[in-house]
Amino acid sequence: MDKILAIVGPSETDFELLEEAGAIAATADVEVVILSLVIDGSDYASVDRMQSWVDRDASSGPGETPADVAAHFAASAGADVLDSLQVTYTSVGDSVEDTRPSAKVIDVAENHGCDHVYVANRSRSPAGKALFGEMAQSIILGFDGFVTVRTVNEL
């Protein structure tokens, strides 16, 4: 394992996922790339949820783009979770359309040399519990590396 990509949004589950990725990274002495995405049209990955999840600092302001908010959120998640594990990390934030967030995830993983992706899958229906969500499934099928999926039931 060379580098881990952990996809983190504003939820306890995602922070638990990041902590697990961090524990593996600490043991293997590898870097973690933290990716936070603002997904257009998504209530879960919205600018407002990310802004309310972390304390805003003096360097942030009302003129921030959604990608800026996501980058700030990723950096804050790294400081909250990975600093105590003494894991080296890079934070990345971006804004994507609701239709293809998995393409952005794979692009970031490839551009940063990641060979393992950690992602949470959110089941929103009874049938969804048995299947991977669209984003997780697309990452599994499109990424040339290992993918760890944490399933979460959000009914």
Side-chain angles (χ1 to χ4, degrees):
M1 181 181 314
D2 295 321
K3 198 179 285 189
I4 294 171
L5 174 69
I7 305 160
V8 179
S11 76
E12 289 293 333
T13 300
D14 285 1
F15 275 67
E16 290 168 4
L17 183 83
L18 180 59
E19 189 170 359
E20 180 64 26
I24 298 297
T27 302
D29 194 28
V30 297
E31 180 181 352
V32 175
V33 176
I34 305 167
L35 174 61
S36 293
L37 296 174
V38 171
I39 302 173
D40 297 339
S42 168
D43 290 335
Y44 165 74
S46 70
V47 171
D48 291 341
R49 285 213 41 192
M50 286 187 187
Q51 284 177 325
S52 67
W53 190 264
V54 296
D55 294 330
R56 308 303 287 156
D57 63 29
S59 66
S60 61
E64 283 186 318
T65 66
D68 293 335
V69 172
H72 181 84
F73 178 82
S76 178
D80 289 349
V81 176
L82 299 180
D83 281 352
S84 64
L85 298 171
Q86 298 180 331
V87 171
T88 303
Y89 63 91
T90 301
S91 55
V92 178
D94 209 343
S95 175
V96 295
E97 292 181 16
D98 186 31
T99 56
R100 296 291 296 167
S102 60
K104 184 63 174 179
V105 170
I106 293 169
D107 184 50
V108 170
E110 290 173 350
N111 287 339
H112 285 270
C114 299
D115 55 357
H116 198 134
V117 173
Y118 280 72
V119 60
N121 173 55
R122 284 159 186 81
S123 298
R124 291 184 176 86
S125 69
K129 288 190 277 186
L131 302 171
F132 288 115
E134 183 179 333
M135 185 168 105
Q137 183 177 3
S138 295
I139 293 168
I140 291 167
L141 296 173
F143 180 64
D144 186 21
F146 296 100
V147 179
T148 298
V149 180
R150 164 83 189 272
T151 57
V152 179
N153 187 5
E154 291 189 345
L155 293 176

